[in-house]
Amino acid sequence: MKLDSIKGLGSKTIEKLNRLGIYDMNSLLTYYPFRYDIIERSDFSKVEDQGKIIIDGIIEKEPNIFYFNKKMERMTFRIHTGERIFQIIIFNRGFLKNKLSIGTKITVSGKLDKKRQIIIVSNLYFGLMTEKRIEPIYHKVSGLSNKQIRKYISQAISLGYHLEDYIPNEFLDKYHLLDKETATLCLHNPMNEERLKRSIQRTKYEELFIYMLKMNYLKNNKKNHPGLERKIDFNLINHFIETLPFELTKDQRNSIKEIYHDLTSSIKMNRLLQGDVGSGKTIVAFISMYMNYLSGYQSALMAPTEILAIQHYQNIQVLFKDYPIQITLLTGKLKAKEKREIYEKIKSGEVDFIIGTHALFTDDLVYKNLGLVITDEQHRFGVNQRSNLKNKGFTPDILYMSATPIPRTYALTLYGDMDVSNIKTLPSGKKDIITTLKTEKEMKDVLTSMYEELKKNHQIYVIAPLIEESDKIDLQNIYDLEEKFNKAFGKLYQIGILHGKMKSKEKDEVMQKFQNNEIQILISTTVIEVGVDVKNATMIVIFDAERFGLSALHQLRGRVGRNELQSYCILISNYEKERLRILTQTCDGFKISEEDFLLRGSGDIFGLRQSGDMVFKMADLKQDFHILVKAKEDSFEFLKKLPSLPKEEQVKYKNLMDRASSLD
Ligand code: ADP
Ligand code: MG
């Protein structure tokens, strides 16, 4: 059902909802609060100085507003509670002024200055407190309030939209779970804590159940498909390895052997190649493609971004320039005519290596004999791409690569259907990236360090969280930084910017210029992310570093230190020094990911963008690991039973498992 069937929902608001990932009734109703505030009157005598207080009262002095720092405003007024009078201070809520007249009953929560009876308010609700209340808090976009979101949701509910419940009856019974509609209602409008808890539990269970259902489904599929059996002369591989400009590390060689073994055996390969940023996974992938070529099949290498696909394409061409191997690049942005020509060549078997993005698996592309599929930065893709491939009717061997080390127990459960090769050591000669923490006040030092590197003819990445200035959050944006750095360095050096809203052609051009050292300072949002390899870049400066998870920062930092040149990472942040400190102490991605896992739960384990498999709206892999384990067993059992269930049940679950974007 479409959103515009809700009364009063215009296209402007729909646009805002879209930005929250809400496109239809289903995504609206499953747009869960990220937090609940429990509102209960505090006992004043028990609240400590600077402690949290919730209190209700009546306004007895009208608000005054005071403006400062361009965009900040402070509003003050007084309330009395019958027993006491409090001075209320609240920031940036001036728009409420007209509603706060004398006599208005309100409830506030905030921090108490006990001696002076001042409350710095963080939340304000209208009305006195009659009893304990639970207030759902949603992630919002500007111009859309909690209240509005709740209003649309309750309207959607009253329209009687039916939500599909994917927990089979037997498990609903077994665990005494609430049904989906009851639980969803309660999540948006909790009556009491006990109910809310049960609603959350069942929602988590369902998410994990669906996830494990897909995993198990994929695993079963694998068993049904015997792999290609081939003969490959390992001497040819050794010969190729000897021509490389560097020695492979022991782990690289081991991984190559494991892959060789998979390719030559009769079981289909389904292998995850894990290795920290810069550990040299790409060359392992290229050699695997060479093996596949030697046995007469086509290889496809899929990268998550165009920038990365182009980089792989350029590197692999150099590497195999003396070999009669045909290589092509296939991305989404090709002109129709070019695309047709490439499709034709892939179909006829004229090309051997196909490098690209998602475009490699569009429906109308037919391969002659695809023998190997490699996905780089696997964590960026979902289960879905994997099943898409299967829908094409291929049984190629599959290699996934990922730079995000997952703690082992979790990996085994989540990627239970895969074998794993690990590259643990970085190529020798690589130095640790020297990482320092700075505050914005220390910008001068940062500029000095940057200049030191530029003088050595090296290049620099600068990362900022925003593209342009925002009036909502006070974070660095790349346009401001461009101006600043132009002032500092513009006379001597070229500065380029890169962000996700640019056209892909523009992005490529900028990247290419950076590759060629025509740009020395590249200011970018995190689009730069994974995989990009510009060896002459030796410094990365990350603004508002506290905005990112540790693993994400580690990934970003991996853009430098690509060879034996000493590289540097400067993290700029005025907050969270303690959390960020670990990055200055270690370059071991595994340690960092464990730390991240401990600090933040699974939410951030896959870095900035947790696209693909791991996006749960409610569940948290670490906290809810016990539910995951149950869901795994249950889904396994259920899949076995599924063929004997009524036809409509079968269809319901088959659709679920085949659906293209169901986990996002
Ligand atoms: P990642 O594992 O992060 O994808 P890459 O495959 O991009 O890392 O490798 C990082 C850099 O290290 C590349 O420039 C690559 O050429 C280089 N490299 C890979 N293996 C070795 C090695 N054994 N010795 C020296 N340099 C290597
Ligand atoms: Mg890589």
Side-chain angles (χ1 to χ4, degrees):
M1 209 194 279
K2 285 218 183 115
L3 285 175
D4 51 17
S5 36
I6 294 175
K7 248 205 332 247
L9 241 188
S11 60
K12 277 240 173 77
T13 315
I14 289 185
E15 219 170 87
K16 283 176 198 154
L17 290 171
N18 288 167
R19 270 194 275 157
L20 294 171
I22 300 172
Y23 294 98
D24 53 17
M25 288 296 189
N26 198 66
S27 47
L28 176 64
L29 289 176
T30 56
Y31 190 71
Y32 306 125
F34 74 96
R35 190 183 84 209
Y36 293 90
D37 280 351
I38 295 187
I39 303 166
E40 185 177 27
R41 195 179 292 120
S42 310
D43 179 348
F44 182 78
S45 63
K46 287 191 186 140
V47 180
E48 288 175 27
D49 185 41
Q50 303 306 321
K52 195 174 174 226
I53 185 166
I54 298 180
I55 209 123
D56 53 353
I58 296 174
I59 297 185
E60 62 136 52
K61 182 167 181 298
E62 270 178 1
N64 271 322
I65 298 188
F66 172 69
Y67 297 90
F68 62 106
N69 270 358
K70 268 202 290 194
K71 279 168 198 152
M72 300 284 281
E73 53 191 31
R74 187 176 68 198
M75 181 160 64
T76 57
F77 56 93
R78 279 208 314 254
I79 62 169
H80 81 82
T81 65
E83 292 165 355
R84 286 183 185 79
I85 289 182
F86 291 96
Q87 174 86 4
I88 304 295
I89 300 178
I90 183 163
F91 292 97
N92 297 332
R93 232 68 71 83
F95 56 89
L96 287 175
K97 184 172 192 271
N98 290 335
K99 292 187 169 172
L100 299 169
S101 49
I102 293 176
T104 307
K105 294 166 185 160
I106 62 164
T107 300
V108 295
S109 75
K111 202 164 78 174
L112 174 70
D113 177 335
K114 203 152 188 175
K115 213 161 113 210
R116 296 191 291 166
Q117 305 226 133
I118 293 175
I119 302 175
I120 311 236
V121 165
S122 48
N123 283 306
L124 182 156
Y125 316 91
F126 287 94
L128 297 179
M129 233 174 311
T130 42
E131 56 186 17
K132 186 157 148 182
R133 225 172 57 215
I134 307 174
E135 186 83 7
I137 311 289
Y138 297 87
H139 280 300
K140 296 172 281 193
V141 290
S142 55
L144 203 61
S145 66
N146 261 318
K147 211 169 134 196
Q148 274 171 298
I149 295 178
R150 281 181 70 181
K151 191 176 85 190
Y152 301 135
I153 288 173
S154 50
Q155 283 184 18
I157 290 172
S158 65
L159 283 175
Y161 176 76
H162 170 72
L163 278 168
E164 195 76 84
D165 191 341
Y166 285 106
I167 304 182
N169 284 332
E170 61 168 305
F171 299 119
L172 282 177
D173 291 348
K174 183 173 165 193
Y175 301 119
H176 308 289
L177 298 174
L178 295 174
D179 68 84
K180 177 121 166 192
E181 280 177 17
T182 309
T184 307
L185 271 172
C186 177
L187 289 173
H188 295 297
N189 217 337
M191 301 301 281
N192 62 53
E193 278 176 273
E194 196 259 342
R195 261 279 154 123
L196 177 60
K197 231 183 228 160
R198 286 185 62 198
S199 303
I200 291 175
Q201 283 304 97
R202 83 81 72 202
T203 308
K204 286 177 170 178
Y205 176 81
E206 185 180 33
E207 283 181 357
L208 295 168
F209 180 80
I210 291 174
Y211 179 76
M212 286 326 291
L213 206 56
K214 292 194 176 193
M215 291 301 288
N216 279 322
Y217 176 73
L218 291 176
K219 207 188 296 193
N220 286 349
N221 261 14
K222 168 181 159 186
K223 282 191 204 123
N224 298 336
H225 292 299
L228 303 166
E229 206 171 342
R230 4 142 165 251
K231 289 208 166 56
I232 305 164
D233 181 358
F234 204 78
N235 287 322
L236 291 173
I237 310 299
N238 275 332
H239 180 74
F240 175 77
I241 290 173
E242 277 161 28
T243 67
L244 292 175
F246 45 69
E247 285 266 315
L248 290 180
T249 63
K250 190 162 149 274
D251 289 340
Q252 282 175 320
R253 273 183 281 129
N254 275 342
S255 306
I256 290 167
K257 285 212 184 94
E258 284 167 346
I259 292 164
Y260 175 80
H261 181 263
D262 286 350
L263 292 182
T264 49
S265 87
S266 62
I267 297 166
K268 201 170 95 60
M269 175 165 81
N270 199 32
R271 184 170 288 279
L272 174 68
L273 177 61
Q274 266 199 131
D276 207 350
V277 263
S279 62
K281 295 182 292 294
T282 317
I283 188 68
V284 175
F286 289 172
I287 291 171
S288 312
M289 290 165 77
Y290 182 48
M291 293 192 229
N292 182 53
Y293 164 81
L294 288 174
S295 60
Y297 292 98
Q298 290 175 310
S299 310
L301 171 60
M302 177 162 75
T305 62
E306 262 171 40
I307 291 176
L308 209 51
I310 293 170
Q311 180 184 292
H312 284 328
Y313 176 64
Q314 289 170 343
N315 288 338
I316 203 167
Q317 274 182 317
V318 173
L319 213 54
F320 290 100
K321 66 178 185 307
D322 298 330
Y323 292 72
I325 299 176
Q326 296 306 311
I327 307 172
T328 191
L329 176 70
L330 183 60
T331 63
K333 60 156 198 196
L334 290 175
K335 295 206 185 72
K337 183 162 167 272
E338 296 170 310
K339 206 156 88 181
R340 237 176 300 124
E341 280 171 17
I342 293 180
Y343 278 22
E344 202 42 57
K345 284 185 185 167
I346 294 173
K347 194 174 167 189
S348 69
E350 224 177 291
V351 285
D352 309 301
F353 291 173
I354 302 109
I355 321 280
T357 53
H358 294 92
L360 295 186
F361 299 104
T362 41
D363 283 339
D364 46 346
L365 172 58
V366 181
Y367 291 84
K368 176 157 184 261
N369 60 354
L370 188 61
L372 174 67
V373 173
I374 303 180
T375 59
D376 193 9
E377 309 296 347
Q378 155 63 22
H379 57 282
R380 299 278 308 269
F381 297 103
V383 159
N384 306 313
Q385 268 88 3
R386 289 198 246 156
S387 42
N388 277 355
L389 241 189
K390 304 230 162 78
N391 292 343
K392 271 182 167 298
F394 298 131
T395 57
D397 288 299
I398 302 191
L399 181 68
Y400 308 103
M401 300 197 284
S402 176
T404 309
I406 313 162
R408 197 177 152 71
T409 34
Y410 300 95
L412 281 180
T413 304
L414 294 170
Y415 288 121
D417 59 336
M418 292 185 198
D419 299 310
V420 181
S421 293
N422 271 307
I423 306 184
K424 291 194 199 101
T425 49
L426 296 188
S428 63
K430 282 201 180 166
K431 299 192 179 75
D432 272 359
I433 299 160
I434 297 176
T435 303
T436 47
L437 265 174
K438 295 277 177 197
T439 60
E440 295 216 15
K441 285 208 187 93
E442 297 167 294
M443 251 338 266
K444 234 186 172 161
D445 297 353
V446 176
L447 291 176
T448 311
S449 308
M450 286 174 75
Y451 189 48
E452 289 292 313
E453 282 311 292
L454 291 167
K455 273 196 298 196
K456 286 186 227 158
N457 229 335
H458 295 161
Q459 290 160 275
I460 299 178
Y461 294 100
V462 175
I463 307 291
L466 299 182
I467 300 175
E468 54 209 45
E469 195 174 349
S470 148
D471 49 356
K472 278 291 139 186
I473 20 178
D474 188 21
L475 294 175
Q476 284 291 353
N477 67 79
I478 62 182
Y479 285 112
D480 272 1
L481 286 176
E482 186 189 20
E483 209 180 304
K484 266 184 213 160
F485 288 129
N486 253 324
K487 271 192 199 130
F489 301 118
K491 286 217 178 77
L492 294 168
Y493 301 103
Q494 289 302 315
I495 295 168
I497 57 174
L498 186 75
H499 59 74
K501 286 193 185 156
M502 284 160 65
K503 296 216 179 72
S504 57
K505 188 154 167 275
E506 297 171 320
K507 280 194 267 184
D508 293 347
E509 277 170 18
V510 173
M511 243 1 260
Q512 200 55 53
K513 279 191 180 161
F514 193 61
Q515 286 273 12
N516 300 344
N517 200 357
E518 289 160 36
I519 288 173
Q520 285 75 42
I521 303 176
L522 181 63
I523 307 174
S524 162
T525 53
T526 52
V527 287
I528 203 70
E529 280 186 62
V530 289
V532 169
D533 189 31
V534 178
K535 294 191 175 55
N536 191 48
T538 55
M539 177 174 276
I540 183 164
V541 181
I542 305 172
F543 282 87
D544 298 307
E546 79 282 353
R547 301 284 295 179
F548 305 107
L550 297 176
S551 296
L553 289 168
H554 178 65
Q555 297 270 332
L556 283 169
R557 171 169 74 173
R559 295 314 103 232
V560 299
R562 309 298 291 182
N563 56 17
E564 70 291 342
L565 295 175
Q566 179 60 59
S567 289
Y568 303 88
C569 169
I570 304 179
L571 304 173
I572 302 178
S573 173
N574 300 328
Y575 315 94
E576 296 191 39
K577 280 255 148 86
E578 276 320 303
R579 181 173 72 91
L580 297 174
R581 184 142 292 134
I582 181 149
L583 290 165
T584 66
Q585 291 160 350
T586 179
C587 283
D588 179 343
F590 203 82
K591 263 193 204 143
I592 291 165
S593 105
E594 295 247 285
E595 191 79 12
D596 230 5
F597 212 70
L598 290 176
L599 286 172
R600 305 171 58 128
S602 68
D604 199 51
I605 192 163
F606 289 108
L608 300 166
R609 214 179 312 174
Q610 0 155 0
S611 65
D613 306 0
M614 304 304 164
V615 185
F616 300 114
K617 291 183 168 174
M618 194 67 94
D620 175 297
L621 287 185
K622 179 171 163 258
Q623 255 179 32
D624 305 317
F625 194 64
H626 61 289
I627 308 181
L628 182 73
V629 172
K630 273 264 164 289
K632 185 183 181 183
E633 288 165 14
D634 294 347
S635 61
F636 185 67
E637 228 179 90
F638 179 72
L639 267 183
K640 277 197 295 197
K641 260 183 249 167
L642 189 57
S644 63
L645 293 181
K647 193 89 195 160
E648 42 184 270
E649 284 286 290
Q650 293 188 33
V651 172
K652 171 172 154 187
Y653 285 97
K654 183 158 187 336
N655 285 343
L656 175 71
M657 289 186 281
D658 288 344
R659 204 158 64 209
S661 65
S662 44
L663 275 172
D664 303 325

